[in-house]
Amino acid sequence: MSDKRGSRMYLDTSEVSQEADKKKEKKKRPEPEKITPFKKIGYEDMTKMEDMDLDGVLANLKERYENELIYTYTSSILVAINPFKRLPIYSRGWVKHYKGKRLGLLSPHIFAVAEQTYNQMCETGQNQSVLVSGESGAGKTESTKLILQFLAARTDRESNVENMVLESIPVLEAFGNAKTGRNDNSSRFGKFIEIQFDTDRYICGSKITQYLLEKSRIITQAKGERNYHIFYQLTEGAEQSMKDTLLLKGAKDYNYTGKTGCIKIKSMDEPEELQMLIKAMKLFDIGEVMQMTVFKIVAACIHLGQASFKADGEVSIHANDSSKKAQENACSLLEFDNEGIFYALTHKKIKMRTEIINTPLTPQQAKDQTDAMVKYLYSTMFEWLVNKLNQCTYADISESFIGVLDIFGFELFEHNSFEQFLINYANEKLQNFFNHHIFKLEQVEYEREGIDWTAIDFVDNQPCLDLIESRRPPGIIAILDEETKFPRATDETFIAKLHSNFEKKHDYYEKPRLARDKFIVKHYAGAVEYETPGWRDKNKDQLPENLVEMVRKSANKFIAILYAPGGTEMTGEEEDAPAVEEEDDSGKGSKLTLGGQFKNSLTTLMDMLMTTTPYFIRCVKPNMDKVPEKFDSELIYNQLLYAGMLETIRIRRMGYPIRYIHEDFWKRYRVICPEVDLTKGDYAKSCTALLKALGLNSPGDFQLGKTKVFLKQNIANDLEDKRNLALTDIILKMQTWWRMMGLRVRFVEKQQGSRQIQTWWRFANKRGKFVTQRKKALLIQRWWRMLGARKELLAMIEKKRKEEEERKRKEEEARKKRIKEKGEAAVLEEEAKAAEEKAAADAEEIAKFKALAEGDFGESKEEAPADGEEAAPKPEKKKKKKKERHQSIMMKKGEALEIPINVDGRITLGLGWKGGQWDMDASCLAFRFKQHRDDVYYYKPRSKDGAVIHRGGYAGLIRVPNVADQDAEQIDLNLQKISPKTNTLIFVVTVFSPEGNFSSVEDAYCRIIDSSTQLEYCRYTLDKGGDETARIMCKLFRYGFSKWRLQAIGEPSEGRLYKHMIPRVEPFLDIKPKKRKFRVRVHRGKLTDIKRMYKGSKTTSLNTFCEIRFDIDKAKTKVVKRSLNPQWRSTKEVTGHGHILEVNVMHRIRFGKEIFLGRCLIPLEGDNVQIKDQWFRLEQRDKSKARNQTAVTGDVKLTIQELLI
């Protein structure tokens, strides 16, 4: 659990953080890690011990510690002893080992507590909290990190959210942890980390609340201690170029880092720690410029520590040249006015009624003012850093959270000041919460429920808390606040008032015999002597006004805004934030003191913890030497004693920590004995019967209260196991039945399919035979008809031959007769003349055929032009225009274009670029006006309504089929399926690598593609890349309800996470209009140009109705059947936020299906809209996209009246 890295427990987060940084590669699944269960040594749960005393508890813990078993239960409370060495029990295999197991089923482990909180959150829906307590060096911080590691790895999801939750810890440790006498990595501030979960129980964000950074450590440290780690990372771990930029030398050369004699920590590699810090800061969108500014603030604090002063008459001046040079270096780094800062450090500004007087300070006062300025610079920067981490990880919408409280342990040093007082006050508060939850509430509930119970005495620290925080009579903090605000008060008057109020009057207050400026408070963990000098100044917690004004005049804009009122809330380099100041209880507007702020923070924390289900982890420090395998019995005995461990074991052993109301108990455990029936709605009697059936005895196993059933822990565990077995049996039966039904359905489907195939096969077989036979019959018939026709042909040929012979015979007889009558010469002459006439007729016929072949159809021919005249030009023939193929529309920046959508509303948005040096990612943010509703990105690839799907990957890895261009990212959109409340989609592209920006990206573009045809509709190209890390590409917004428009944006932005874009796209979102209400009367319509998009339909009769849409409200008129001039005559009212009313004419067909015919959009500009009996033209759907649909044109007559809300 720990490495010999001081008291830092070893945390192996490489399996979680490094996997998120690696690129995904196809690899074989690794073999599961083999886990060796813990040995059964001693009592794993100390409530089962026979020796109920601290000696028995100590012996049990020692036996387990010597066998490297550092965890032990006290019912649900975990005792963790720091082993000061690495233990191999925190890998991913151990996470899987404890995943899904109830608390107590396996050996004690911190993962078991984390799993219990997760399971309870999932089961009950309530927020959970884990309170990690113990003294400094007991391992609280590392236990907190182990819980975060388990929760991040338990969900089996790799995303940047889980990685950022883990990476926030190194950043906080660098700026908020330091080496103390008890701990090499002591948290010098308290923190409460909320791990937020969404509805799917995945981590969706986190929030860190910090309490009381120890500012005095920046100025001075005890011997053997160090300043905050970041001071040594910059002076000892930075490269020489960075040190030259920061004007730094080695740590030993500076007062703030070299006076205690402790520079190095053996287990810390400062250069490596610095590189890890820089990498983590980049992950949180803290770029190189902002990182260097933060480092300059730290370096300036180091330089100001070298300042020293001496008297020169009435004023103070620098004691030497090195002091003057140190101030010049600090002012140069922070871009301050050097002379102005020096004057503000050495003078005090006093406001009189009519004038302002500047009085010089003594050298010591000037030094104190310089130290106060350093504390102000560093603490403000630390507060901004925590807010920056929260800004990157906080989820605006979450279902529940698991909180982990890691607050400073109880401290008792040789010199205890105001910081130790507040730290011990916080521990008193936590101990009181523990007592209240474990002892007070427990026994009060037993009395209220009438349980047979013997009260257990415990040490109640409420009187000590009253001594510290009471207002009436005033406690220590109230007296300190009063003295802080009183102008003439001093430290002496403060200690005198404490003695007069509490000496010999309060059992937990004591006055030392010799010391005059000290007092003693008897805390639950022991008496602590506090030194009061400087308490009033520390409690004021503010810098002189003249010095603050000089800091805010820095030429560095980031620093000027950071130290302005409310500047710690800003999230970027050039953002401004409103001034926010806390007020004290009097309500007069005065600033709260540090003690008052801390008291209010603790009260808020306790109130929040009371709303959660708490779990406790008691961290124990085994020895003061911070070495492994050393068990200091006396040290551990004292820790167990003041923690009330013996009383805790007794109440957990004798009490009934598990309880259910009667109805819940019956419903939860009746599954074990289903034969027990409910007794007429009386759950108390039913519970009695069920407990009897379960074989439980009272009061040994349970007790039945007035409204609840109280169970022993072991009995509750046994019942849970039996319930899980019963549920498992039921689930197995259901799964068996479900598998049978699935197989049965598939069998029936296959059976029906096979029968259908058999039917078709028999049909096809018989039809094939029929077709073959028919072909043969047809062939025979053709041959038979051919033979019959041939006989007829031969008969006709023979008949014609005979007729020809008869004709020739008759002609020959006639010729011979003419020769006898006229002579042979006259007959020959007649035959020659007849042959010439026949030849002439044949020639004329041939000429006609030739003219027809040349195109002469007998029209009149044009006359030839006269000499000198040009021939008239022949008219050119009109060529048919070829239909051009669909072409893409090129858009310009800021241009808006209507998007035609096909029937199913599916389009694809493609995003691409050249130059894949860095990983790129696309995000889709969904809004309703300016309200963020949903987002779609690489790790969350689908919107809640399923209408937006991110199916792209890393840049250049996806090539879209049948498209010439190569899109790096694609987002599929179904605009008809998208949630009605979503009216705007913003598309963003980010450079997802910390080192990258758009300077390496060229030809970035976005385009709209028809999902069905893969044709590009429109495209626009962005300007060449710059230094930004994100581009707001385009905006897709509703125009009316069923129409969408695309607007090209192409604006640069900053940030690598989709969450960063939510506030930055706000200028491109529409302001939510005021709520309006309209009464719409649809009179009648005239439908013309009826066309069916599919063939074979002859009817034009339509069953029509009108659908009225305004924002997300809609109403429908009655259906008018079989009419092209429908008389709807319906009046409807619609309400919403918008300025366009949409009326759609629909056609209802069989089975309740509806077909879109046309629409009209009516702008509603101005107030009190009144439109009476006006005709509006219908706009058709895009016919080329409307497959198998009806399209119409026509008009609709409407009356629109705006109503008062």
Side-chain angles (χ1 to χ4, degrees), residues 440-458:
K440 293 182 181 179
L441 291 181
E442 193 93 1
Q443 301 191 83
V444 167
E445 186 162 13
Y446 291 158
E447 294 177 2
R448 183 172 59 246
E449 290 288 330
I451 299 300
D452 184 12
W453 173 256
T454 302
I456 294 178
D457 295 331
F458 63 95

mmCIF file of all heavy atoms in Angstrom, residues 440-458:
data_model
loop_
_atom_site.group_PDB
_atom_site.id
_atom_site.type_symbol
_atom_site.label_atom_id
_atom_site.label_comp_id
_atom_site.label_asym_id
_atom_site.label_seq_id
_atom_site.Cartn_x
_atom_site.Cartn_y
_atom_site.Cartn_z
ATOM 1 N N LYS A 440 -24.908 8.488 18.899
ATOM 2 C CA LYS A 440 -26.114 9.220 19.261
ATOM 3 C C LYS A 440 -27.320 8.769 18.446
ATOM 4 O O LYS A 440 -28.350 8.373 18.997
ATOM 5 C CB LYS A 440 -25.877 10.725 19.076
ATOM 6 C CG LYS A 440 -24.860 11.312 20.034
ATOM 7 C CD LYS A 440 -24.720 12.802 19.812
ATOM 8 C CE LYS A 440 -23.691 13.411 20.760
ATOM 9 N NZ LYS A 440 -23.519 14.862 20.537
ATOM 10 N N LEU A 441 -27.206 8.848 17.122
ATOM 11 C CA LEU A 441 -28.342 8.482 16.273
ATOM 12 C C LEU A 441 -28.750 7.032 16.483
ATOM 13 O O LEU A 441 -29.930 6.683 16.465
ATOM 14 C CB LEU A 441 -27.995 8.721 14.796
ATOM 15 C CG LEU A 441 -27.836 10.169 14.355
ATOM 16 C CD1 LEU A 441 -27.528 10.226 12.867
ATOM 17 C CD2 LEU A 441 -29.095 10.967 14.646
ATOM 18 N N GLU A 442 -27.736 6.165 16.688
ATOM 19 C CA GLU A 442 -28.003 4.735 16.853
ATOM 20 C C GLU A 442 -28.888 4.505 18.083
ATOM 21 O O GLU A 442 -29.927 3.829 18.022
ATOM 22 C CB GLU A 442 -26.667 4.005 16.988
ATOM 23 C CG GLU A 442 -26.764 2.510 16.851
ATOM 24 C CD GLU A 442 -26.518 2.055 15.426
ATOM 25 O OE1 GLU A 442 -26.252 2.889 14.559
ATOM 26 O OE2 GLU A 442 -26.608 0.844 15.204
ATOM 27 N N GLN A 443 -28.472 5.086 19.212
ATOM 28 C CA GLN A 443 -29.190 4.810 20.455
ATOM 29 C C GLN A 443 -30.526 5.554 20.511
ATOM 30 O O GLN A 443 -31.487 5.047 21.095
ATOM 31 C CB GLN A 443 -28.296 5.195 21.639
ATOM 32 C CG GLN A 443 -26.979 4.415 21.640
ATOM 33 C CD GLN A 443 -26.190 4.569 22.924
ATOM 34 O OE1 GLN A 443 -26.464 3.876 23.891
ATOM 35 N NE2 GLN A 443 -25.223 5.475 22.925
ATOM 36 N N VAL A 444 -30.610 6.725 19.895
ATOM 37 C CA VAL A 444 -31.890 7.439 19.850
ATOM 38 C C VAL A 444 -32.912 6.638 19.066
ATOM 39 O O VAL A 444 -34.084 6.532 19.450
ATOM 40 C CB VAL A 444 -31.695 8.838 19.227
ATOM 41 C CG1 VAL A 444 -33.041 9.465 18.882
ATOM 42 C CG2 VAL A 444 -30.935 9.747 20.192
ATOM 43 N N GLU A 445 -32.475 6.025 17.958
ATOM 44 C CA GLU A 445 -33.413 5.238 17.161
ATOM 45 C C GLU A 445 -33.856 3.985 17.909
ATOM 46 O O GLU A 445 -35.012 3.573 17.804
ATOM 47 C CB GLU A 445 -32.778 4.855 15.814
ATOM 48 C CG GLU A 445 -33.760 4.155 14.889
ATOM 49 C CD GLU A 445 -33.311 4.170 13.444
ATOM 50 O OE1 GLU A 445 -32.143 4.508 13.202
ATOM 51 O OE2 GLU A 445 -34.122 3.837 12.577
ATOM 52 N N TYR A 446 -32.942 3.360 18.673
ATOM 53 C CA TYR A 446 -33.334 2.198 19.474
ATOM 54 C C TYR A 446 -34.437 2.581 20.465
ATOM 55 O O TYR A 446 -35.418 1.851 20.645
ATOM 56 C CB TYR A 446 -32.127 1.641 20.221
ATOM 57 C CG TYR A 446 -31.100 0.987 19.320
ATOM 58 C CD1 TYR A 446 -29.777 0.836 19.739
ATOM 59 C CD2 TYR A 446 -31.443 0.526 18.059
ATOM 60 C CE1 TYR A 446 -28.827 0.245 18.926
ATOM 61 C CE2 TYR A 446 -30.502 -0.061 17.239
ATOM 62 C CZ TYR A 446 -29.192 -0.205 17.665
ATOM 63 O OH TYR A 446 -28.266 -0.793 16.857
ATOM 64 N N GLU A 447 -34.281 3.715 21.133
ATOM 65 C CA GLU A 447 -35.293 4.160 22.095
ATOM 66 C C GLU A 447 -36.616 4.479 21.403
ATOM 67 O O GLU A 447 -37.690 4.158 21.910
ATOM 68 C CB GLU A 447 -34.775 5.393 22.848
ATOM 69 C CG GLU A 447 -33.563 5.089 23.733
ATOM 70 C CD GLU A 447 -33.032 6.348 24.393
ATOM 71 O OE1 GLU A 447 -33.638 7.422 24.174
ATOM 72 O OE2 GLU A 447 -32.018 6.263 25.119
ATOM 73 N N ARG A 448 -36.536 5.114 20.230
ATOM 74 C CA ARG A 448 -37.752 5.487 19.526
ATOM 75 C C ARG A 448 -38.523 4.262 19.036
ATOM 76 O O ARG A 448 -39.752 4.254 19.025
ATOM 77 C CB ARG A 448 -37.395 6.390 18.336
ATOM 78 C CG ARG A 448 -38.615 6.885 17.575
ATOM 79 C CD ARG A 448 -38.258 7.921 16.520
ATOM 80 N NE ARG A 448 -37.320 7.410 15.551
ATOM 81 C CZ ARG A 448 -36.081 7.840 15.402
ATOM 82 N NH1 ARG A 448 -35.624 8.805 16.176
ATOM 83 N NH2 ARG A 448 -35.278 7.324 14.497
ATOM 84 N N GLU A 449 -37.815 3.216 18.660
ATOM 85 C CA GLU A 449 -38.445 2.004 18.136
ATOM 86 C C GLU A 449 -38.804 1.004 19.224
ATOM 87 O O GLU A 449 -39.364 -0.053 18.929
ATOM 88 C CB GLU A 449 -37.516 1.340 17.111
ATOM 89 C CG GLU A 449 -37.372 2.098 15.811
ATOM 90 C CD GLU A 449 -38.620 2.029 14.955
ATOM 91 O OE1 GLU A 449 -39.342 1.019 15.034
ATOM 92 O OE2 GLU A 449 -38.896 2.992 14.202
ATOM 93 N N GLY A 450 -38.444 1.308 20.499
ATOM 94 C CA GLY A 450 -38.780 0.407 21.600
ATOM 95 C C GLY A 450 -37.945 -0.858 21.622
ATOM 96 O O GLY A 450 -38.429 -1.928 22.021
ATOM 97 N N ILE A 451 -36.669 -0.756 21.224
ATOM 98 C CA ILE A 451 -35.773 -1.919 21.212
ATOM 99 C C ILE A 451 -35.196 -2.121 22.610
ATOM 100 O O ILE A 451 -34.832 -1.161 23.303
ATOM 101 C CB ILE A 451 -34.639 -1.701 20.189
ATOM 102 C CG1 ILE A 451 -35.219 -1.533 18.781
ATOM 103 C CG2 ILE A 451 -33.663 -2.860 20.208
ATOM 104 C CD1 ILE A 451 -36.012 -2.706 18.298
ATOM 105 N N ASP A 452 -35.115 -3.379 23.035
ATOM 106 C CA ASP A 452 -34.499 -3.716 24.322
ATOM 107 C C ASP A 452 -33.006 -3.455 24.209
ATOM 108 O O ASP A 452 -32.282 -4.190 23.528
ATOM 109 C CB ASP A 452 -34.773 -5.191 24.643
ATOM 110 C CG ASP A 452 -34.236 -5.569 26.022
ATOM 111 O OD1 ASP A 452 -33.867 -4.646 26.785
ATOM 112 O OD2 ASP A 452 -34.173 -6.776 26.319
ATOM 113 N N TRP A 453 -32.521 -2.411 24.897
ATOM 114 C CA TRP A 453 -31.159 -1.942 24.642
ATOM 115 C C TRP A 453 -30.567 -1.338 25.906
ATOM 116 O O TRP A 453 -31.233 -0.633 26.655
ATOM 117 C CB TRP A 453 -31.178 -0.886 23.524
ATOM 118 C CG TRP A 453 -29.867 -0.207 23.290
ATOM 119 C CD1 TRP A 453 -29.510 1.050 23.682
ATOM 120 C CD2 TRP A 453 -28.730 -0.751 22.642
ATOM 121 N NE1 TRP A 453 -28.240 1.326 23.307
ATOM 122 C CE2 TRP A 453 -27.714 0.226 22.648
ATOM 123 C CE3 TRP A 453 -28.461 -1.988 22.045
ATOM 124 C CZ2 TRP A 453 -26.467 0.014 22.095
ATOM 125 C CZ3 TRP A 453 -27.207 -2.185 21.482
ATOM 126 C CH2 TRP A 453 -26.240 -1.196 21.511
ATOM 127 N N THR A 454 -29.301 -1.628 26.149
ATOM 128 C CA THR A 454 -28.547 -1.047 27.268
ATOM 129 C C THR A 454 -27.637 0.030 26.707
ATOM 130 O O THR A 454 -26.800 -0.255 25.836
ATOM 131 C CB THR A 454 -27.722 -2.112 27.992
ATOM 132 O OG1 THR A 454 -28.598 -3.144 28.462
ATOM 133 C CG2 THR A 454 -26.969 -1.487 29.160
ATOM 134 N N ALA A 455 -27.792 1.248 27.178
ATOM 135 C CA ALA A 455 -27.029 2.370 26.631
ATOM 136 C C ALA A 455 -25.539 2.177 26.864
ATOM 137 O O ALA A 455 -25.105 1.661 27.891
ATOM 138 C CB ALA A 455 -27.493 3.680 27.270
ATOM 139 N N ILE A 456 -24.727 2.608 25.878
ATOM 140 C CA ILE A 456 -23.265 2.525 25.939
ATOM 141 C C ILE A 456 -22.717 3.927 26.116
ATOM 142 O O ILE A 456 -23.052 4.849 25.371
ATOM 143 C CB ILE A 456 -22.704 1.883 24.653
ATOM 144 C CG1 ILE A 456 -23.155 0.418 24.555
ATOM 145 C CG2 ILE A 456 -21.183 1.970 24.619
ATOM 146 C CD1 ILE A 456 -22.687 -0.274 23.303
ATOM 147 N N ASP A 457 -21.867 4.102 27.127
ATOM 148 C CA ASP A 457 -21.244 5.398 27.384
ATOM 149 C C ASP A 457 -20.105 5.611 26.392
ATOM 150 O O ASP A 457 -19.363 4.695 26.058
ATOM 151 C CB ASP A 457 -20.703 5.463 28.810
ATOM 152 C CG ASP A 457 -21.836 5.387 29.841
ATOM 153 O OD1 ASP A 457 -22.950 5.830 29.506
ATOM 154 O OD2 ASP A 457 -21.586 4.862 30.942
ATOM 155 N N PHE A 458 -19.962 6.842 25.955
ATOM 156 C CA PHE A 458 -18.868 7.187 25.043
ATOM 157 C C PHE A 458 -18.435 8.610 25.368
ATOM 158 O O PHE A 458 -19.150 9.376 26.023
ATOM 159 C CB PHE A 458 -19.310 7.089 23.577
ATOM 160 C CG PHE A 458 -20.402 8.044 23.201
ATOM 161 C CD1 PHE A 458 -20.103 9.270 22.624
ATOM 162 C CD2 PHE A 458 -21.738 7.731 23.430
ATOM 163 C CE1 PHE A 458 -21.109 10.145 22.273
ATOM 164 C CE2 PHE A 458 -22.739 8.599 23.095
ATOM 165 C CZ PHE A 458 -22.429 9.823 22.505
#
